[in-house]
Amino acid sequence: MSGMQVLIQKEWLESMRNGKWIWLPIAFAILAMSQPLTMYYMPQLLEIAGGLPEGAVIDIPAPSGEEVLSGVLSQYTFLGTLLFVLAAMNVIVHERNNGSIIFISVRPVSALSYILSKWISLLVLYLISFMISFVIAWYYTNILFSMVSAAKLFGSIGIYSIWLCFLVALVLSVSTFLKSNSSIAGVSIGILAILALASELAPVYMKWSPTQLQSQAVQALQQTIISDLWLPITVTVLVTIFLLCLAIWRMKQWDYSGH
Amino acid sequence: MLELVDISKRFKKTEAVKSLNMFIEQGEIIGLLGPNGAGKSTAISILSTLIEPTQGDVRFFKKSVIKKPSPLRKAIGVVPQEIALYPQLSAEENLLFFGRIYRLKGSELKKRVNEILEQIGLTEKRKALVESFSGGMKRRLNIGVAMLHRPQILIMDEPTVGIDPQSRSYILETVKRLNKENQMTVVYTSHYMEEVDYLCDRIYIMDQGNLIASGTKEEIKQILSSENTISIEADHWNNAFITHLKEHESINNVHVEEKEITLITPKEVNLFTEIISMTEEYDIALRSLHVKSPTLEDVFLHLTGRALRD
């Protein structure tokens, strides 16, 4: 594990300088806030937009706080995942392409330290961005709709965090095989889309899938007891470990001479 | 000190290095010379333990380091061809990061960073972000990073590519000084013959994965000791003139550039007057004609039939 702490510090310093520590939390906060605010002001927004027949009355039943926060998680599923993949796609490839990986590889730094440092530094950034934004959404939901208990909130955050561990490991693993940002993003999103589609088309056979954790996080908001929770959690943890091992193995196969 | 023994490296269908033997003694500057694609970078990567050879052995003080590279890794500093720095960090932050990776700490690290900044002439720019640096400044910092842990051997892979003449000369002087003052062993690859000629004690010349010549500069120039180089300059050429030169029985090699033709001829043959009359015959406006002793560039031309930068 030599040098891991130094590598993590460098990752964070770089993320501060390139603004990732600023834009990612802000983007997530906007994404999360927009859900309770638009739902609350929906009648006024429709009225301003116009086009309704004379005398029409807009009567939208007020959703519960849990339903509003579930909507926030749905926003993360699409736009949030895209933002996460975009923010992670270049963390390895830019060091491979600019050659700084050579400076690191000829020093006493193991592939394990290198990959874990990338995973931890990204994961911390993502978890903080996600938690801040979700707590902000929870705050507005409590004010504008009904109160959601902190236990449900943190239960949901806990399950979603395991999904994020998998997401970061997936993008890093793909990054050790490919050398262009667009192909890394494309392949990562492609794998996630296939998993999500399979879960939609054959839910009975996909109960193990890491994508189930996103719906489990929604369930955690709406119910006290969540069904079939441990299978996807166990599989996701095992797949995450496998992806990190794959990335470490792949890094050891890299060719540094440009062939 | 460091040896490559019968090294070959194959990448799928390409054999990048073929049966290469090389030895490096303490305190010398070794030049590894060859055009692009000669196999220099692959040889350097094997020497730096970054890739394993398909065949052969790398020995450091007579011990194989292919499976256990750490003794050699501690002893080497590698300057890669690319600018291997973090552009969003300052010069000082880059040095501190790489120093920490090499387990330098506290006051020792700070002292070493100051020394390096002084040696590479970037003390005034220590707080500036690398992205604001010129190409030459980045190259100097690249070298500084490789020297942080006081390596015994500095391996430099074309460290002067794409920089201005002033920075290039600064880098060459720095390498020379490091070798003289600190007895640092240097392995220097380049396709600039004059850099290798200026810096190196011994030279290995590679082409298409093969080692085609090795020895001291004098030994290598001896390859052409019985030959002369004739350089002809003119504003333009015509094909008939070039064909005539190529078919001439006393001319061993003809290399044509835009305004210069280089010929290699046996010393005992005097072609001076013959060439002048040929230029008149083919209506070529001759600008100059020189007969000179062979350079390393001429040796390369003689051995491969191509110029280094072809």
Side-chain angles (χ1 to χ4, degrees), chain A residues 2-3 6-7 10 13-14 17-18 94-95 98-100 102-109 255-257 259, chain B residues 11 16 42 45 50-51 73 78 80 82-86 88-89 93 97-98 100-103 129 142 145:
Chain A
S2 57
V6 179
L7 289 167
K10 189 274 296 172
L13 182 59
E14 237 190 335
R17 292 278 162 76
N18 63 28
H94 90 281
E95 285 185 352
N98 80 2
S100 48
I102 294 175
F103 269 150
I104 294 171
S105 299
V106 292
R107 286 166 165 75
V109 173
D255 163 31
Y256 296 92
S257 64
H259 284 88
Chain B
F11 296 97
T42 305
S45 297
L50 281 167
I51 55 171
R73 284 190 178 183
V78 179
E82 299 87 356
I83 303 291
L85 303 164
Y86 296 100
Q88 282 151 348
L89 305 190
E93 284 164 345
F97 165 66
F98 286 110
R100 285 187 192 118
I101 287 283
Y102 232 99
R103 294 171 195 161
L129 298 187
N142 227 23
V145 167

Side-chain angles (χ1 to χ4, degrees), chain A residues 166 207-210 230-240:
Chain A
F166 160 77
K207 281 183 178 169
W208 55 270
S209 169
W230 293 107
L231 181 63
I233 286 186
T234 311
V235 170
T236 306
V237 170
L238 291 176
V239 171
T240 303

